[in-house]
Amino acid sequence: MDIQLKRGLLDLCVLAAIKNEDSYGYQIIKDMKPYLEMSESTLYTILKRLEAAEQLTVRSAEHDGRLRKYYHITGAGLRRLEDFKEDWKEILAIYHFVTREGQYE
């Protein structure tokens, strides 16, 4: 898969994982596990990129005597997810065109 396309899709997966409630790294990985595997190092790179793009915010809170970082999706992050849903229609049309059978001859 094209690395830029995959990178964008993984960013969207992380945003979708925190769309309904704030979450932390380990929980994000756990929530995504039924759909895709992601290493902690990949996740934290994505989280930093999304924070820099102001698509999520980070807050620290104590949990069991340790500080834990919680991630919250912003309006910009929600807009990115909505834009993807619209773009997906075009992506599906391209996919159907590319995978059509028997019409190449």
Side-chain angles (χ1 to χ4, degrees):
M1 176 182 289
D2 177 77
I3 192 71
Q4 289 301 97
L5 176 60
K6 186 173 183 177
R7 178 177 150 178
L9 291 173
L10 290 176
D11 287 3
L12 289 161
C13 289
V14 171
L15 289 171
I18 62 171
K19 179 182 168 194
N20 295 322
E21 67 178 319
D22 295 358
S23 193
Y24 55 97
Y26 177 75
Q27 187 63 48
I28 294 169
I29 289 173
K30 188 175 167 185
D31 291 344
M32 291 182 1
K33 194 171 187 121
Y35 306 98
L36 63 115
E37 292 286 327
M38 182 180 293
S39 69
E40 284 186 40
S41 61
T42 298
L43 174 64
Y44 287 108
T45 299
I46 290 169
L47 290 168
K48 287 179 184 179
R49 183 171 51 244
L50 293 172
E51 182 182 12
E54 299 181 345
Q55 295 176 5
L56 61 80
T57 57
V58 184
R59 68 176 169 82
S60 294
E62 190 172 323
H63 178 78
D64 291 336
R66 295 180 27 205
L67 278 182
R68 179 183 280 172
K69 288 184 177 181
Y70 287 87
Y71 300 90
H72 174 80
I73 194 166
T74 64
L78 290 170
R79 280 189 299 282
R80 184 166 179 200
L81 285 174
E82 290 305 312
D83 289 346
F84 172 72
K85 290 177 189 176
E86 286 300 312
D87 292 344
W88 188 248
K89 295 172 190 173
E90 186 176 351
I91 293 167
L92 280 177
I94 293 167
Y95 170 81
H96 290 302
F97 175 76
V98 169
T99 59
R100 61 194 171 141
E101 297 286 327
Q103 298 178 9
Y104 297 112
E105 300 166 25

